[in-house]
Amino acid sequence: MIERAIVLAAGFGKRVLPLTNTTPKPLLKINNVSLLENTLNFLKKFGVKSFAINIHHLGEQIISFAEDNKKKYDIKIFKEKDILGTGGGIRNALDFFEDKPFISINSDTIWSNEYLSPLNNLYKNFTKHNAWSGLLMIKKENSFDKTLRGDFTIRSEPFLFRKAGDTNNLIFTGCQIINPALLKLKVKGNFSIQPVWDEAINDKKMVGEVSQNIFYHVTDLSIYEKLKKLDLIR
């Protein structure tokens, strides 16, 4: 199984301003539990034992969180002096994963036990097809935030591809399994994961798994305020 993961936490969280003027988005809370803690707890249930967290904006607060919770979580912090983007942030931490498949995850999705079985299925297909990337998806109609656009489509299971325009019916949840080969040859620096995904799609090295539950994601301040009223994190 997968024992290491990176939680992406370096962003500015501009869509939840003004809250993120003083608190990094991963430390915003629902039911008195931070989004970061909810993410780490979910990963622990899946079997992950060690966590990388990349930081930039208000990163000292996340360092304090890691120090305060060092008995609960085995965390290694990766500071980004300059923002490296999603692809660059993961590439910067690649040595942490010791050439073994790992999980990359966003903390602004509300992760629940309902994602565990689909993530396990994703890992099986990822392994079976010797993929470089495996994305956990949700049906567009199952998104709590109805403004979100689709990201991918499955043409022949389990391989992902993108249709032109706003015609894709699957939303990326923010959780992916990565073979280090996906990024190992990329030069360190600031770059997006999107063109890397496109390369994997072209090489038939990207697979997807669709979770059937409702997708709760802290898209912006309005959605965050709505999610705080729901009993989503315990």
Side-chain angles (χ1 to χ4, degrees), residues 7-232:
V7 182
L8 302 176
F12 292 99
K14 292 180 179 178
R15 287 179 290 183
V16 283
L17 285 170
L19 300 180
T20 45
N21 281 329
T22 55
T23 304
K25 189 176 182 182
L27 294 184
L28 296 179
K29 293 183 177 182
I30 293 178
N31 274 3
N32 293 316
V33 179
S34 71
L35 299 174
L36 177 56
E37 190 169 5
N38 175 64
T39 302
L40 295 173
N41 289 340
F42 169 74
L43 290 170
K44 283 184 70 174
K45 291 175 185 175
F46 189 69
V48 176
K49 297 179 180 178
S50 299
F51 310 91
I53 303 179
N54 70 328
I55 62 170
H56 177 74
H57 176 63
L58 301 176
E60 294 302 317
Q61 292 185 37
I62 295 178
I63 291 174
S64 295
F65 170 90
E67 181 64 24
D68 292 343
N69 291 276
K70 62 184 179 182
K71 292 184 178 179
K72 189 174 182 181
Y73 309 113
D74 178 19
I75 294 173
K76 181 176 176 59
I77 297 292
F78 288 84
K79 295 182 182 180
E80 296 182 9
K81 182 179 179 180
D82 300 306
I83 283 284
L84 294 176
T86 303
I90 300 171
R91 175 65 183 88
N92 186 55
L94 206 61
D95 288 347
F96 176 76
F97 305 107
E98 300 177 340
D99 280 329
K100 297 177 183 177
F102 62 94
I103 291 173
S104 170
I105 195 167
N106 299 339
S107 61
D108 49 6
T109 292
I110 310 302
W111 300 106
S112 67
N113 291 344
E114 293 174 298
Y115 286 106
L116 292 172
S117 179
L119 183 54
N120 187 57
N121 290 338
L122 176 64
Y123 178 62
K124 290 178 180 178
N125 273 324
F126 173 89
T127 303
K128 177 181 177 181
H129 295 281
N130 194 28
W132 286 0
S133 180
L135 273 59
L136 189 60
M137 314 299 297
I138 201 79
K139 293 180 180 178
K140 188 175 177 180
E141 60 265 29
N142 285 347
S143 176
F144 179 79
D145 181 356
K146 298 303 180 184
T147 68
L148 293 180
R149 300 177 61 179
D151 300 302
F152 295 93
T153 298
I154 292 180
R155 179 161 42 196
S156 60
E157 292 191 16
F159 297 99
L160 291 174
F161 77 107
R162 303 180 196 258
K163 292 181 179 179
D166 187 21
T167 57
N168 295 290
N169 65 338
L170 299 175
I171 295 172
F172 175 48
T173 62
C175 179
Q176 64 176 311
I177 301 173
I178 296 176
N179 183 321
L182 180 74
L183 295 165
K184 199 167 187 178
L185 298 181
K186 303 300 179 184
V187 176
K188 287 187 176 182
N190 183 336
F191 64 91
S192 168
I193 196 71
Q194 297 287 341
V196 182
W197 280 345
D198 289 335
E199 291 173 9
I201 289 173
N202 290 336
D203 293 336
K204 291 190 176 180
K205 289 290 188 177
M206 178 181 280
V207 297
E209 177 71 24
V210 181
S211 184
Q212 302 298 323
N213 50 287
I214 301 299
F215 178 53
Y216 297 102
H217 177 266
V218 183
T219 314
D220 54 29
L221 183 60
S222 174
I223 292 294
Y224 174 61
E225 294 297 336
K226 292 176 181 177
L227 295 179
K228 285 200 301 181
K229 298 176 183 179
L230 304 177
D231 188 25
L232 296 176

